[in-house]
Amino acid sequence: MPINQWPIEQRPRERLIALGAGALSDAELLAIFLRTGIAGKSAVDLARDITRRFGSLGALFGCGLPAFAAIPGLGPAKYAQLQAVRELTRRALTEELQSGVLLSAPQPVKQYLQLALGGKQHECFITLFLDVRNRLLKSEELSRGTLTHASVHPREVVKAALANNAAGVILAHNHPSGALRPSHADLHLTATLKQALALVDVRVLDHLIVAGNGIYSFAENGHL
């Protein structure tokens, strides 16, 4: 049944206006973005198919055009719109981080990293460079590896920190395998980077691992 034939209180757009976006499911929010369904499926049904196929919003945002357009009813126009939404969200979060919310609200950092790293099929290592008030100066990808390994050189991280006049950093990388816990190599790398950056008076505030819909914080789990 088309959504315009549903009871008004069940329609995603009307529910969002009445209750706020936070009250809607992922599929309902995606249905509002899609606007229309396809033959035999409402926008909500199509959205449910999409979320099941990709498994997470991060994977959906991170997919390429061929995988996106392989779903009936989707194509380059919708893909461009989705990527525009993703980039607008990333820029809004960047503005929050640049305003200094890192001091009191770590959630925007995690949301930013989910957008930056979630859904990627290769391992990436990025660094957030912060000023003395923990405001974001720059986010930079310092390494891109295979599915299982990214080579990060402490010398390059220190060089980038000095070039950005950073007082602190937040390290982050993804696990495309979905494993949320840090490996022994992750722990060793973190300790090495912390020691190297300390020599130039740059603090490591955290190291975050993005895996699927989850984020693991080294600081929150006592590894820093």
Side-chain angles (χ1 to χ4, degrees):
M1 179 187 299
I3 290 176
N4 60 12
Q5 296 180 20
W6 292 12
I8 291 178
E9 67 275 7
Q10 294 180 15
R11 299 176 192 175
R13 188 180 302 166
E14 283 71 15
R15 277 171 41 76
L16 185 149
I17 293 172
L19 304 173
L24 275 63
S25 67
D26 291 348
E28 288 174 316
L29 291 170
L30 186 56
I32 293 174
F33 166 77
L34 294 171
R35 296 181 59 191
T36 60
I38 58 176
K41 289 184 179 181
S42 69
V44 172
D45 293 328
L46 178 58
R48 287 174 181 149
D49 288 348
I50 293 170
T51 53
R52 280 195 295 266
R53 178 160 182 165
F54 286 100
S56 70
L57 293 177
L60 172 60
F61 276 115
C63 76
L65 176 57
F68 185 84
I71 299 175
L74 304 182
K78 284 294 183 187
Y79 182 78
Q81 291 174 21
L82 182 69
Q83 293 307 308
V85 170
R86 178 186 186 184
E87 181 61 16
L88 284 170
T89 305
R90 188 194 67 80
R91 292 185 187 188
L93 288 169
T94 299
E95 289 178 357
E96 285 193 65
L97 301 185
Q98 289 172 336
S99 72
V101 298
L102 285 170
L103 286 170
S104 58
Q107 194 58 31
V109 178
K110 294 180 179 180
Q111 292 170 341
Y112 176 90
L113 292 172
Q114 280 283 10
L115 282 174
L117 295 171
K120 287 186 179 294
Q121 297 303 305
H122 50 268
E123 192 166 322
C124 293
F125 182 94
I126 68 176
T127 302
L128 307 185
F129 298 101
L130 316 174
D131 67 12
V132 292
R133 296 175 60 187
N134 287 354
R135 294 175 300 190
L136 180 66
L137 295 168
K138 185 179 181 182
S139 173
E140 187 173 346
E141 182 180 304
L142 295 179
S143 177
R144 178 174 297 193
T146 65
L147 285 173
T148 58
H149 178 72
S151 178
V152 181
H153 299 287
R155 178 180 57 193
E156 295 304 316
V157 179
V158 170
K159 181 179 177 181
L162 292 174
N164 286 287
N165 196 29
V169 298
I170 292 177
L171 312 171
H173 74 283
N174 63 316
H175 281 176
S177 66
L180 191 57
R181 301 286 298 185
S183 66
H184 290 299
D186 293 335
L187 294 170
H188 177 72
L189 174 63
T190 304
T192 300
L193 290 175
K194 182 179 178 181
Q195 183 178 25
L197 288 162
L199 295 175
V200 291
D201 294 323
V202 176
R203 295 179 301 138
V204 177
L205 276 68
D206 205 347
H207 186 169
L208 297 159
I209 297 173
V210 177
N213 289 326
I215 291 190
Y216 183 93
S217 165
F218 280 55
E220 291 174 5
N221 287 277
H223 295 307
L224 280 177

